[in-house]
């Protein structure tokens, strides 16, 4: 971690009267919520008087149990208040995202906000526009990075059980419960410390992964039984879902989260995608194994980006055209690696 940046951060947060705003990214996931709420808990414990947390969108149901979710202002419910909180802040923390475009409807507000912008993130290619950058792309999650940052500030002992619950949630969701991006011993050392602080790993696993609705499980069954397709000769696979299919299964926000990973469970598949038809665009998630770089794939062909093995993109073409484009590009892209 860069010492100059660390010293600047230390100085900045020594003034507890600074108004702080913590910003989540659009469609927040476990790491976005975990790192942001963990930081909220830490800063409140540090004695900051005014700390706001703003999210572009609602939290998925499986994260609503997390500590301090009641303090979050959601831009989808209260756009003006959300914008005001960003504009009023002296310090704006951006965790788990790498550019203004990741906060959707709040992008212009963030870009115009006069506060000092601090990035704490693990995505590649952080964009300019941040005043202070803590970007570590080899760390499992922004939550793990935040733990290291708090420790580097000399405040490891201030991490308590609710903060630990937030960070633990971020680490397990960004590593698929230690199934990818999980070969760094330090991830387990930090996780071990979180458990020692009283985190109930079993309970959190149940809260995050075992609270499916019946209709979501049936939608998954539909995807696996009827919609999963393989691109010959068998290194890419995808699922596509129309709006009417989603409504047939009483689709709720977040229901298709993780479905794309099932395609990677097939032997030989190195690149997987799921195409979800939205009102005015197609939302796409990509996953890959090994060297196949879906951050690059999403950037080059589907107006998106993310990590090497997990990224997202979109298309304004029809669902069938977006799928066709994927089918045409997949094999030659995989052969580059
Ligand atoms: Mn993350």
């Amino acid at each position: 971690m860069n010492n100059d940046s660390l010293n600047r951060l230390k100085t900045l947060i020594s003034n507890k009267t600074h108004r702080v705003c913590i910003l989540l990214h659009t469609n927040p996931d476990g790491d976005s919520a975990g790192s942001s709420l963990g930081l909220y808990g830490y800063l409140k414990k540090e004695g900051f008087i005014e700390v706001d947390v703003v999210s572009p969108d609602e939290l998925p149901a499986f994260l609503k149990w997390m500590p301090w979710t009641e303090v979050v202002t959601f831009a989808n419910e209260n756009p003006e208040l959300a914008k005001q909180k960003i504009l009023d802040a002296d310090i704006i923390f951006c965790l788990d995202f790498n550019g203004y475009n990741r906060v959707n409807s709040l992008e212009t507000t963030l870009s115009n906000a006069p506060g000092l912008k601090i990035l704490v993130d693990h995505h590649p290619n952080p964009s300019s526009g941040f005043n202070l950058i803590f970007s570590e792309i080899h760390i499992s999650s922004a939550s793990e990075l935040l733990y290291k940052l708090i420790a580097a500030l000399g405040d490891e002992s201030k991490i308590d059980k609710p903060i630990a619950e937030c960070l633990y949630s971020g680490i397990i969701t960004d590593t698929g419960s230690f199934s990818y991006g999980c070969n760094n011993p330090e991830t387990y050392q930090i996780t071990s410390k979180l458990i020692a602080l009283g985190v109930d790993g079993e309970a959190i696993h149940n809260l995050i992964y075992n609270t499916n609705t019946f209709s979501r499980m049936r939608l998954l069954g539909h995807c696996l039984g009827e919609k999963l397709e393989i691109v010959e000769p068998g290194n890419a696979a995808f699922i596509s879902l129309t709006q009417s299919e989603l409504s047939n299964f009483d689709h709720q926000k977040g229901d298709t989260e993780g479905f794309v990973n099932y395609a990677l469970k097939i032997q030989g598949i190195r690149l997987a995608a799921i195409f979800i038809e939205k009102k005015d665009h197609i939302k796409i998630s990509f996953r890959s194994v090994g060297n196949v770089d879906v951050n690059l794939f999403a950037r080059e062909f589907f107006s998106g980006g993310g990590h090497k093995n997990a990224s997202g993109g979109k298309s304004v073409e029809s669902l069938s055209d977006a799928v066709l484009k994927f089918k045409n590009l997949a094999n030659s892209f995989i052969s580059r690696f």
Side-chain angles (χ1 to χ4, degrees):
M1 217 166 282
N2 180 301
N3 260 335
D4 284 348
S5 304
L6 201 58
N7 286 332
R8 280 186 66 198
L9 180 63
K10 248 183 205 168
T11 311
L12 266 172
I13 65 168
S14 64
N15 181 346
K16 314 298 180 205
T17 63
H18 278 319
R19 289 167 302 181
V20 177
C21 181
I22 302 167
L23 201 46
L24 280 74
H25 64 65
T26 182
N27 295 321
D29 57 12
D31 190 32
S32 174
S35 57
S36 298
L37 293 169
L39 178 62
Y40 173 86
Y42 165 68
L43 292 175
K44 287 306 276 185
K45 205 166 179 180
E46 268 285 275
F48 277 84
I49 297 153
E50 207 177 312
V51 185
D52 286 310
V53 185
V54 170
S55 174
D57 313 288
E58 203 186 332
L59 288 176
F62 65 88
L63 296 175
K64 285 184 175 164
W65 60 271
M66 287 180 77
W68 303 300
T69 50
E70 70 282 0
V71 309
V72 183
T73 302
F74 295 97
N76 59 311
E77 286 168 2
N78 215 333
E80 290 317 310
L81 183 64
K83 286 175 187 169
Q84 202 54 51
K85 285 180 184 293
I86 297 169
L87 292 172
D88 286 346
D90 301 306
I91 302 174
I92 302 164
F93 278 99
C94 302
L95 290 93
D96 195 40
F97 63 90
N98 57 358
Y100 294 169
N101 60 347
R102 295 286 293 131
V103 295
N104 254 11
S105 62
L106 300 171
E107 180 175 353
T108 316
T109 309
L110 177 60
S111 148
N112 294 337
L116 206 104
K117 292 154 197 164
I118 303 176
L119 182 76
V120 180
D121 183 40
H122 67 131
H123 294 86
N125 319 107
S127 53
S128 56
F130 297 97
N131 302 88
L132 207 47
I133 294 183
F134 298 92
S135 166
E136 305 271 347
I137 66 167
H138 298 296
I139 290 185
S140 73
S141 50
S143 298
E144 183 185 338
L145 176 55
L146 180 64
Y147 186 102
K148 289 166 70 93
L149 191 58
I150 294 173
L153 290 166
D155 284 339
E156 194 173 5
S157 64
K158 290 185 181 151
I159 297 177
D160 57 14
K161 187 180 168 188
I163 298 172
E165 287 173 336
C166 294
L167 302 183
Y168 181 84
S169 303
I171 293 172
I172 65 162
T173 51
D174 259 24
T175 60
S177 296
F178 306 107
S179 58
Y180 44 82
C182 57
N183 282 342
N184 183 354
E186 219 175 352
T187 307
Y188 297 88
Q189 285 153 6
I190 289 173
T191 303
S192 153
K193 291 178 184 174
L194 299 175
I195 296 289
L197 285 164
V199 168
D200 184 341
E202 210 171 302
I204 289 184
H205 182 94
N206 282 325
L207 286 165
I208 290 180
Y209 295 109
N210 297 343
T211 50
N212 290 291
T213 58
F214 185 43
S215 58
R216 179 180 189 251
M217 294 306 280
R218 291 186 62 244
L219 178 61
L220 174 62
H222 173 71
C223 286
L224 299 182
E226 311 290 334
K227 302 306 304 267
L228 180 59
E229 288 184 51
I230 287 179
V231 183
E232 291 306 331
N235 303 121
F238 68 92
I239 294 165
S240 67
L241 287 168
T242 63
Q243 285 214 295
S244 76
E245 284 173 300
L246 292 167
S247 62
N248 285 345
F249 289 93
D250 186 29
H251 171 259
Q252 303 297 310
K253 197 176 167 66
D255 273 359
T256 56
E257 204 65 48
F259 283 8
V260 62
N261 296 314
Y262 285 88
L264 282 187
K265 293 179 192 283
I266 305 165
Q267 190 173 31
I269 299 298
R270 301 172 68 202
L271 170 61
I274 186 166
F275 297 80
I276 313 278
E277 187 180 47
K278 301 274 179 186
K279 246 184 241 133
D280 54 0
H281 69 283
I282 311 298
K283 178 177 179 261
I284 316 165
S285 298
F286 300 106
R287 294 292 184 276
S288 64
V289 283
N291 289 331
V292 177
D293 186 343
V294 287
N295 173 39
L296 195 66
F297 191 66
R299 277 173 180 266
E300 275 189 29
F301 306 116
F302 290 99
S303 321
H307 299 285
K308 187 174 89 176
N309 295 130
S311 69
K314 66 176 180 182
S315 168
V316 290
E317 295 175 292
S318 69
L319 182 61
S320 53
D321 285 348
V323 164
L324 190 63
K325 185 175 172 184
F326 174 79
K327 287 167 85 169
N328 288 335
L329 290 167
N331 287 324
S332 65
F333 185 78
I334 294 168
S335 69
R336 283 159 63 176
F337 300 93

